[in-house]
Amino acid sequence: MSQSARQAVLDGIRASLRRGPLPPETAAVLDTRLSRPEPNVVPAIALGDRRTLVARFLAAAEAAAATTQRVPPGEEGAAVADFLRAHALPAAVAVAADPRLDGLAAAPMLCVTRRGADHGAPTDADRVGVSHALAGLAETGTLLLASGPECPATLNMLPDVHVVVVRALDVVGGLEDGWDRLRRHAGAAPLPRTVHLVTGPSRTGDIEQTLQLGAHGPRRLHIVLIDDDPAAIRA
Amino acid sequence: MHVTSRAFHKNVRGAVADPNLRRSLATMKTGFRANRAKAAAALPEFEALRDAGAAIKDRTLAHLDHYLERFEARVEESGGQVHWARDGDEACRAVLDICRAHAARMVTKGKSMVAEEIALNAALEAAGIQPVETDLGEYIIQLRGEVPSHIIAPAIHVRKHQVADSFRENHPQFPADRPLEEPRDLLDEARAVLRDRFLTADVGITGANMLVAETGSTIIVTNEGNGDLTQLLPRVHIVVTSIEKVVPTLEDAATVLRLLARSATGQPMASYTTLSTGPRRPGDADGPEHFHVVLLDNGRSRMLGTEFRDALRCIRCAACINHCPIYGAVGGHAYGSVYPGPIGSVITPALASLEDAAALPNASTLCGRCEAVCPMRIPLPRMLRNWREHEVARRLAPARVRWGLRLWSFAARRPALYRAGTGLVARLLVRLGGRRGRLARAPLAGAWTRVRDLPAPPAGGTFMDQVRIKQSKARDGR
Ligand code: SF4
């Protein structure tokens, strides 16, 4: 690799396009488009009122083999404990340092270790990991998780069981709405190092095209939706 | 790019005689094809998304230099580095230099077709660095010493008992009599073995499905989670990718994402779509400390100026491969190229040479299924025809074929002669077909009749004769 390789590739592209470097005016137009991105085709499944979007988010996540649970605010700790007990899973959970998950640390039935910030990185021994999503996408039942000091990205991948807490107020329509959240979250800084769009647990079809859940990432994905949006609560 | 496509015809004979391969390829119909059809039908906007996806790629390719420069600037702003490579050797060297700078001895690899294209594993091994494939399919074929036979299901040609054999041979740490009959057993064993590798690798190498100029992010779309463990656990993450993967904005990426998984496996979204932007940030507890992107050209910038430019819209979803009757009959290895199937037959002659790959554009019935399902609306059959024209023009086609075509075009330009000739042949074939209406042997059709009978045309003249008779009957009937 060298400066000459870079120049040769760019020159090759320009020769094929039968032009030199873009004139500054054209470049400026393209740059404006980059700084003000426009959506293309947005499917109808990414649109709807609050109640529809939250219901669709949960249904789509289940269609992707996640399990889901809706709980009133403040009950997420009990919900996680119930889920673990129901599936005979250990009560020892590795919880992201995210303060929005402090409620879990207070739950008496859970044995919580925090991960991220001053608590260190997740480890291979963490069997159950709990993260907080930045958003949920109704379109496909996808969770959007952004890494940061309090949201270590490996917690989404190392544990056997991944529990993700998401607020109904953070459930949005489609990918474009997710990008909006992400841009607001990042502000003027670059995007977080790792942004995970998670749709169901890990899987593979690599052996005779037989679908197996639980490949290298989590074998189970459980979503705890906190019903904090009055407009989204079922009648 | 190393190709062995000159052996295509020999490979095909081996492939069609292989019962394991037949059974493996049969799964494509009920798997990939049925799932894609369901997913496309479930999304009313699917056709509009295809139009939008193709338009995004066209716009990007028209300003490819600009978007690559912007992408590079964003990567650098977020603390990463971009390395440009004219060809596979330069790309391998860039990867090796980074590995050496970090004294790497073992690297984990997520699935990357560009890494296959540049034969990265061989380069790493030659430098004393052990590459470990972590995608289950890639891991299986690495153990078997093979190359992928499909771009998204690299081990589609392998049966589970063959996987079990490879695991018994390569995993002596487990009891010899352990059960490995079920896919679940095999998967769990691979998971256990590879977990250890993820945690101890010095460098993680992944490919990219897209590069985003707006943010400097690379995107991978996966189901297993191996690409994530590959890039998050080691100290260094190297992305090996190629120049046509760039899209302008996240919104544009969204359009491609809506097409990609649906066209590939029929999923609305794959399990994991991961955006990687630079190395870990101050305060982050995990993630790589170094982030490098190796940008490969390897003939693509040249392709941009040819009639094959549209093929650079390809998002490597494999839909054309899954729907190709030729691929379905012979599998991926027969093609002798890293990229098999219709898209492989279009880009291999461009990335390698037509001399080496001339058999591939001919390995098609031009049935059109590939273009019908291609999310990027790439006119694959047209391009296969274009290559055939080049082949004839450059006298690469066998003399027999060139003379045949010359004869045919002579007759085709003389309708009376053509009709007389085809009428004669049709009558002759009917006569030879006899009461069975089939021929076991026919002159000039040996390749066909060796494995099946040639149906004789229906009595009553050529197609044109019959149309004329029908039309005159319809007129009289009125
Ligand atoms: S040519 Fe089209 S169908 Fe084939 S892999 Fe590329 S995008 Fe998919």
Side-chain angles (χ1 to χ4, degrees):
Chain A
M1 208 289 301
S2 58
Q3 192 57 27
S4 66
R6 180 182 191 277
Q7 203 51 50
V9 175
L10 291 172
D11 286 348
I13 292 170
R14 289 171 187 146
S16 281
L17 294 173
R18 290 173 193 86
R19 61 164 172 75
L22 281 181
E25 316 81 70
T26 317
V29 172
L30 299 182
D31 285 339
T32 314
R33 264 193 241 145
L34 283 186
S35 58
R36 281 203 288 277
E38 292 284 334
N40 303 297
V41 177
V42 177
I45 46 170
L47 309 168
D49 59 27
R50 298 298 312 150
R51 196 185 310 169
T52 310
L53 289 183
V54 170
R56 191 177 293 143
F57 165 73
L58 294 170
E62 285 180 7
T67 50
T68 67
Q69 202 175 354
R70 289 180 84 148
V71 300
E75 289 183 22
E76 55 272 24
V80 172
D82 283 350
F83 166 75
L84 296 176
R85 202 166 336 107
H87 295 90
L89 293 162
V93 290
V95 178
D98 193 324
R100 291 171 299 181
L101 294 172
D102 286 352
L104 263 70
M109 319 68 111
L110 294 174
C111 170
V112 170
T113 327
R114 302 306 286 265
R115 294 287 179 229
D118 301 333
H119 310 279
T123 76
D124 188 38
D126 295 339
R127 283 202 53 204
V128 181
V130 186
S131 323
H132 199 292
L134 184 67
L137 312 184
E139 178 180 1
T140 45
T142 299
L143 296 157
L144 193 159
L145 299 128
S147 71
E150 290 158 347
C151 307
T154 52
L155 195 59
N156 307 334
M157 291 293 159
L158 280 173
D160 273 358
V161 180
H162 190 206
V163 179
V164 181
V165 177
V166 60
R167 272 147 224 276
L169 280 169
D170 292 331
V171 172
V172 297
L175 282 162
E176 291 79 359
D177 306 296
W179 302 150
D180 284 347
R181 293 272 170 147
L182 191 56
R183 289 187 184 111
R184 236 179 300 150
H185 174 80
L191 291 188
R193 151 60 214 183
T194 305
V195 175
H196 277 139
L197 298 172
V198 177
T199 314
S202 74
R203 67 197 66 202
T204 182
D206 271 351
I207 300 175
E208 296 192 354
Q209 284 217 50
T210 314
L211 180 71
Q212 303 283 325
L213 292 180
H216 295 292
R219 299 170 200 260
R220 258 180 222 276
L221 175 69
H222 185 65
I223 300 176
V224 177
L225 180 103
I226 300 181
D227 253 324
D228 61 353
D229 181 1
I233 292 175
R234 284 163 294 192
Chain B
M1 191 164 93
H2 180 67
V3 295
T4 56
S5 309
R6 285 174 193 263
F8 181 75
H9 291 103
K10 190 175 130 258
N11 295 346
V12 163
R13 277 194 287 280
V16 293
D18 179 350
N20 277 329
L21 185 64
R22 307 234 53 71
R23 242 168 278 140
S24 301
L25 293 172
T27 59
M28 281 202 304
K29 188 167 172 200
T30 45
F32 288 139
R33 295 217 286 270
N35 292 338
R36 181 219 167 257
K38 248 185 270 159
L43 192 68
E45 297 85 358
F46 194 72
E47 294 306 311
L49 282 162
R50 290 174 71 186
D51 294 335
I56 289 166
K57 286 281 188 170
D58 281 342
R59 266 189 280 128
T60 314
L61 290 170
H63 305 294
L64 187 58
D65 50 340
H66 182 77
Y67 288 118
L68 289 171
E69 287 179 317
R70 288 298 173 271
F71 169 76
E72 178 187 40
R74 294 289 99 81
V75 170
E76 286 170 359
E77 275 166 32
S78 58
Q81 243 178 296
V82 175
H83 310 259
W84 302 68
R86 274 169 286 207
D87 55 28
D89 286 344
E90 276 188 356
C92 285
R93 222 172 307 136
V95 172
L96 289 180
D97 286 347
I98 300 164
C99 289
R100 288 202 191 98
H102 294 277
R105 293 177 39 209
M106 195 251 289
V107 308
T108 41
K109 283 183 70 214
K111 218 183 93 50
S112 157
M113 288 311 298
V114 170
E116 297 289 341
E117 179 182 332
I118 64 175
L120 182 58
N121 284 359
L124 288 165
E125 279 163 4
I129 301 165
Q130 185 197 0
V132 178
E133 295 289 350
T134 62
D135 170 85
L136 181 59
E138 290 279 348
Y139 179 65
I140 291 168
I141 59 166
Q142 188 182 30
L143 293 184
R144 290 167 56 89
E146 293 180 315
V147 293
S149 69
H150 188 284
I151 63 173
I152 67 164
I156 193 170
H157 61 286
V158 186
R159 310 283 300 162
K160 66 182 179 200
H161 69 266
Q162 298 172 303
V163 180
D165 291 346
S166 299
F167 281 15
R168 282 191 203 287
E169 195 183 317
N170 287 279
H171 301 158
Q173 64 270 47
F174 298 110
D177 57 350
R178 65 195 185 281
L180 282 179
E181 277 70 53
E182 293 307 314
R184 181 83 252 168
D185 305 328
L186 296 165
L187 174 58
D188 285 343
E189 182 162 315
R191 179 182 163 114
V193 172
L194 289 171
R195 211 20 110 86
D196 183 54
R197 302 309 181 99
F198 288 126
L199 294 162
T200 51
D202 305 300
V203 172
I205 299 175
T206 67
N209 293 86
M210 275 184 277
L211 313 170
V212 186
E214 174 200 350
T215 60
S217 311
T218 68
I219 300 184
I220 59 169
V221 177
T222 68
N223 273 320
E224 294 183 6
N226 67 305
D228 290 283
L229 293 171
T230 295
Q231 64 170 281
L232 289 172
L233 292 169
R235 286 179 51 224
V236 185
H237 177 199
I238 306 176
V239 180
V240 179
T241 186
S242 52
I243 56 173
E244 84 284 13
K245 299 257 164 34
V246 70
V247 295
T249 64
L250 289 174
E251 273 67 9
D252 297 329
T255 299
V256 175
L257 288 175
R258 287 184 177 118
L259 292 164
L260 178 55
R262 286 184 175 91
S263 299
T265 55
Q267 293 167 278
M269 270 298 253
S271 297
Y272 304 114
T273 298
T274 305
L275 283 66
S276 311
T277 314
R280 72 159 79 171
R281 304 298 144 73
D284 280 359
D286 57 14
E289 289 157 35
H290 305 274
F291 180 69
H292 296 271
V293 180
V294 177
L295 263 183
L296 176 73
D297 181 339
N298 209 23
R300 289 165 174 82
S301 63
R302 197 173 353 103
M303 236 173 113
L304 191 61
T306 68
E307 72 259 56
F308 302 104
R309 177 201 283 205
D310 292 352
L312 293 169
R313 295 201 296 253
C314 177
I315 55 173
R316 304 283 190 265
C317 70
C320 59
I321 298 172
N322 297 338
H323 290 76
C324 177
I326 305 295
Y327 180 94
V330 306
H333 285 158
Y335 289 80
S337 165
V338 167
Y339 301 103
I343 184 62
S345 298
V346 166
I347 63 176
T348 305
L351 301 183
S353 74
L354 185 57
E355 281 76 4
D356 282 330
L360 302 185
N362 291 292
S364 167
T365 61
L366 302 181
C367 71
R369 270 206 232 163
C370 49
E371 185 175 2
V373 296
C374 174
M376 291 291 133
R377 297 205 192 282
I378 299 171
L380 294 157
R382 194 260 289 156
M383 293 180 168
L384 293 170
R385 271 197 308 272
N386 287 354
W387 278 125
R388 293 182 189 184
E389 283 164 19
H390 284 286
E391 190 196 1
V392 172
R394 285 165 55 184
R395 303 175 143 266
L396 292 169
R400 204 160 32 92
V401 173
R402 278 184 283 131
W403 278 104
L405 284 173
R406 218 170 284 172
L407 187 68
W408 183 83
S409 70
F410 177 83
R413 266 178 271 151
R414 292 163 180 80
L417 177 67
Y418 188 89
R419 248 173 270 143
T422 49
L424 192 71
V425 172
R427 275 195 299 279
L428 185 71
L429 287 178
V430 171
R431 175 91 43 93
L432 289 175
R435 267 218 311 269
R436 278 174 68 228
R438 319 181 69 81
L439 287 79
R441 298 236 312 256
L444 301 176
W448 175 286
T449 53
R450 222 185 352 260
V451 282
R452 50 179 123 41
D453 286 351
L454 180 71
T462 63
F463 178 72
M464 299 275 275
D465 293 338
Q466 296 193 35
V467 169
R468 252 196 309 276
I469 293 167
K470 256 210 185 109
Q471 278 174 343
S472 75
K473 267 195 197 146
R475 254 198 314 275
D476 297 348
R478 237 189 310 153

